[in-house]
Amino acid sequence: MSDQRRHRPYPLRSGPASVILSALRKTLGISNGTEVLSVNNDGVWLVIPLQFSAGRPSVALPDLDPDRQRQFTAARTMLDSAYWKTLQGETAC
């Protein structure tokens, strides 16, 4: 084993199995930390960071600067409006 691998200050995490084990350890409350969950939705990757503490997840969204916050709020308002129009049987666009 190389000196570099032997003296690594952090655990090496790569590959799908280690990602699953890391998330499972946090879900079971064995360790605490943040996991970023993602899903591909029609070619668009959606992600949400979850902070785990004692096995309990909470959403850990990053802080946004004022300009990004305005953009996020505008997008959320537009999506909410389209959703409610869809529920009422109207076309969203």
PDB file of all heavy atoms in Angstrom, residues 34-37 47-52 58-62:
ATOM      1  N   THR A  34     -24.236  15.237   6.317  1.00  0.00           N
ATOM      2  CA  THR A  34     -25.108  15.630   5.215  1.00  0.00           C
ATOM      3  C   THR A  34     -24.993  14.642   4.068  1.00  0.00           C
ATOM      4  O   THR A  34     -23.901  14.232   3.708  1.00  0.00           O
ATOM      5  CB  THR A  34     -24.744  17.044   4.715  1.00  0.00           C
ATOM      6  OG1 THR A  34     -24.833  17.955   5.805  1.00  0.00           O
ATOM      7  CG2 THR A  34     -25.666  17.492   3.599  1.00  0.00           C
ATOM      8  N   GLU A  35     -26.118  14.274   3.522  1.00  0.00           N
ATOM      9  CA  GLU A  35     -26.183  13.461   2.306  1.00  0.00           C
ATOM     10  C   GLU A  35     -26.983  14.243   1.278  1.00  0.00           C
ATOM     11  O   GLU A  35     -27.981  14.875   1.620  1.00  0.00           O
ATOM     12  CB  GLU A  35     -26.865  12.119   2.559  1.00  0.00           C
ATOM     13  CG  GLU A  35     -26.062  11.152   3.383  1.00  0.00           C
ATOM     14  CD  GLU A  35     -24.820  10.635   2.677  1.00  0.00           C
ATOM     15  OE1 GLU A  35     -24.820  10.528   1.437  1.00  0.00           O
ATOM     16  OE2 GLU A  35     -23.850  10.326   3.379  1.00  0.00           O
ATOM     17  N   VAL A  36     -26.543  14.207   0.049  1.00  0.00           N
ATOM     18  CA  VAL A  36     -27.259  14.876  -1.031  1.00  0.00           C
ATOM     19  C   VAL A  36     -27.972  13.798  -1.841  1.00  0.00           C
ATOM     20  O   VAL A  36     -27.338  12.949  -2.452  1.00  0.00           O
ATOM     21  CB  VAL A  36     -26.309  15.693  -1.927  1.00  0.00           C
ATOM     22  CG1 VAL A  36     -27.076  16.356  -3.053  1.00  0.00           C
ATOM     23  CG2 VAL A  36     -25.569  16.743  -1.100  1.00  0.00           C
ATOM     24  N   LEU A  37     -29.300  13.822  -1.791  1.00  0.00           N
ATOM     25  CA  LEU A  37     -30.105  12.858  -2.534  1.00  0.00           C
ATOM     26  C   LEU A  37     -30.459  13.453  -3.884  1.00  0.00           C
ATOM     27  O   LEU A  37     -30.720  14.654  -3.992  1.00  0.00           O
ATOM     28  CB  LEU A  37     -31.371  12.523  -1.757  1.00  0.00           C
ATOM     29  CG  LEU A  37     -31.167  12.005  -0.333  1.00  0.00           C
ATOM     30  CD1 LEU A  37     -32.510  11.689   0.302  1.00  0.00           C
ATOM     31  CD2 LEU A  37     -30.266  10.790  -0.317  1.00  0.00           C
ATOM     32  N   VAL A  47     -31.870  17.740  -6.863  1.00  0.00           N
ATOM     33  CA  VAL A  47     -31.121  17.320  -5.673  1.00  0.00           C
ATOM     34  C   VAL A  47     -31.660  18.022  -4.435  1.00  0.00           C
ATOM     35  O   VAL A  47     -32.236  19.109  -4.523  1.00  0.00           O
ATOM     36  CB  VAL A  47     -29.613  17.619  -5.810  1.00  0.00           C
ATOM     37  CG1 VAL A  47     -29.019  16.881  -6.984  1.00  0.00           C
ATOM     38  CG2 VAL A  47     -29.356  19.103  -5.939  1.00  0.00           C
ATOM     39  N   ILE A  48     -31.482  17.369  -3.295  1.00  0.00           N
ATOM     40  CA  ILE A  48     -31.835  17.975  -2.013  1.00  0.00           C
ATOM     41  C   ILE A  48     -30.816  17.501  -0.978  1.00  0.00           C
ATOM     42  O   ILE A  48     -30.605  16.304  -0.800  1.00  0.00           O
ATOM     43  CB  ILE A  48     -33.277  17.642  -1.582  1.00  0.00           C
ATOM     44  CG1 ILE A  48     -33.638  18.413  -0.339  1.00  0.00           C
ATOM     45  CG2 ILE A  48     -33.465  16.165  -1.388  1.00  0.00           C
ATOM     46  CD1 ILE A  48     -35.119  18.444  -0.034  1.00  0.00           C
ATOM     47  N   PRO A  49     -30.158  18.450  -0.316  1.00  0.00           N
ATOM     48  CA  PRO A  49     -29.225  18.066   0.739  1.00  0.00           C
ATOM     49  C   PRO A  49     -29.985  17.836   2.052  1.00  0.00           C
ATOM     50  O   PRO A  49     -30.814  18.640   2.450  1.00  0.00           O
ATOM     51  CB  PRO A  49     -28.290  19.273   0.848  1.00  0.00           C
ATOM     52  CG  PRO A  49     -29.064  20.418   0.303  1.00  0.00           C
ATOM     53  CD  PRO A  49     -30.083  19.859  -0.651  1.00  0.00           C
ATOM     54  N   LEU A  50     -29.722  16.698   2.686  1.00  0.00           N
ATOM     55  CA  LEU A  50     -30.348  16.383   3.971  1.00  0.00           C
ATOM     56  C   LEU A  50     -29.273  16.286   5.047  1.00  0.00           C
ATOM     57  O   LEU A  50     -28.265  15.601   4.870  1.00  0.00           O
ATOM     58  CB  LEU A  50     -31.098  15.061   3.904  1.00  0.00           C
ATOM     59  CG  LEU A  50     -32.322  15.019   3.001  1.00  0.00           C
ATOM     60  CD1 LEU A  50     -32.914  13.619   2.998  1.00  0.00           C
ATOM     61  CD2 LEU A  50     -33.354  16.021   3.445  1.00  0.00           C
ATOM     62  N   GLN A  51     -29.491  16.981   6.144  1.00  0.00           N
ATOM     63  CA  GLN A  51     -28.596  16.919   7.304  1.00  0.00           C
ATOM     64  C   GLN A  51     -29.171  15.891   8.262  1.00  0.00           C
ATOM     65  O   GLN A  51     -30.323  16.010   8.682  1.00  0.00           O
ATOM     66  CB  GLN A  51     -28.507  18.290   7.971  1.00  0.00           C
ATOM     67  CG  GLN A  51     -27.719  18.308   9.253  1.00  0.00           C
ATOM     68  CD  GLN A  51     -26.244  18.052   9.028  1.00  0.00           C
ATOM     69  OE1 GLN A  51     -25.677  18.503   8.059  1.00  0.00           O
ATOM     70  NE2 GLN A  51     -25.628  17.289   9.912  1.00  0.00           N
ATOM     71  N   PHE A  52     -28.394  14.858   8.599  1.00  0.00           N
ATOM     72  CA  PHE A  52     -28.836  13.817   9.516  1.00  0.00           C
ATOM     73  C   PHE A  52     -28.207  14.031  10.886  1.00  0.00           C
ATOM     74  O   PHE A  52     -27.005  14.261  10.997  1.00  0.00           O
ATOM     75  CB  PHE A  52     -28.445  12.427   9.001  1.00  0.00           C
ATOM     76  CG  PHE A  52     -29.284  11.954   7.856  1.00  0.00           C
ATOM     77  CD1 PHE A  52     -28.937  12.244   6.552  1.00  0.00           C
ATOM     78  CD2 PHE A  52     -30.431  11.216   8.091  1.00  0.00           C
ATOM     79  CE1 PHE A  52     -29.710  11.811   5.501  1.00  0.00           C
ATOM     80  CE2 PHE A  52     -31.212  10.771   7.035  1.00  0.00           C
ATOM     81  CZ  PHE A  52     -30.849  11.077   5.741  1.00  0.00           C
ATOM     82  N   SER A  58     -33.146  16.485   8.175  1.00  0.00           N
ATOM     83  CA  SER A  58     -33.756  17.806   7.996  1.00  0.00           C
ATOM     84  C   SER A  58     -33.147  18.405   6.732  1.00  0.00           C
ATOM     85  O   SER A  58     -31.989  18.152   6.409  1.00  0.00           O
ATOM     86  CB  SER A  58     -33.517  18.715   9.210  1.00  0.00           C
ATOM     87  OG  SER A  58     -32.144  18.925   9.407  1.00  0.00           O
ATOM     88  N   VAL A  59     -33.947  19.158   6.010  1.00  0.00           N
ATOM     89  CA  VAL A  59     -33.495  19.763   4.765  1.00  0.00           C
ATOM     90  C   VAL A  59     -32.427  20.798   5.093  1.00  0.00           C
ATOM     91  O   VAL A  59     -32.594  21.613   6.003  1.00  0.00           O
ATOM     92  CB  VAL A  59     -34.671  20.404   4.003  1.00  0.00           C
ATOM     93  CG1 VAL A  59     -34.190  21.108   2.755  1.00  0.00           C
ATOM     94  CG2 VAL A  59     -35.701  19.342   3.659  1.00  0.00           C
ATOM     95  N   ALA A  60     -31.332  20.766   4.362  1.00  0.00           N
ATOM     96  CA  ALA A  60     -30.199  21.659   4.610  1.00  0.00           C
ATOM     97  C   ALA A  60     -29.890  22.464   3.351  1.00  0.00           C
ATOM     98  O   ALA A  60     -28.832  22.317   2.753  1.00  0.00           O
ATOM     99  CB  ALA A  60     -28.983  20.856   5.056  1.00  0.00           C
ATOM    100  N   LEU A  61     -30.849  23.290   2.944  1.00  0.00           N
ATOM    101  CA  LEU A  61     -30.633  24.091   1.737  1.00  0.00           C
ATOM    102  C   LEU A  61     -29.551  25.138   1.987  1.00  0.00           C
ATOM    103  O   LEU A  61     -29.462  25.699   3.089  1.00  0.00           O
ATOM    104  CB  LEU A  61     -31.931  24.785   1.328  1.00  0.00           C
ATOM    105  CG  LEU A  61     -33.061  23.849   0.887  1.00  0.00           C
ATOM    106  CD1 LEU A  61     -34.325  24.650   0.600  1.00  0.00           C
ATOM    107  CD2 LEU A  61     -32.656  23.041  -0.323  1.00  0.00           C
ATOM    108  N   PRO A  62     -28.730  25.435   0.985  1.00  0.00           N
ATOM    109  CA  PRO A  62     -27.674  26.432   1.166  1.00  0.00           C
ATOM    110  C   PRO A  62     -28.260  27.844   1.253  1.00  0.00           C
ATOM    111  O   PRO A  62     -29.356  28.109   0.748  1.00  0.00           O
ATOM    112  CB  PRO A  62     -26.824  26.272  -0.095  1.00  0.00           C
ATOM    113  CG  PRO A  62     -27.749  25.704  -1.108  1.00  0.00           C
ATOM    114  CD  PRO A  62     -28.730  24.856  -0.346  1.00  0.00           C
TER     115      PRO A  62
END
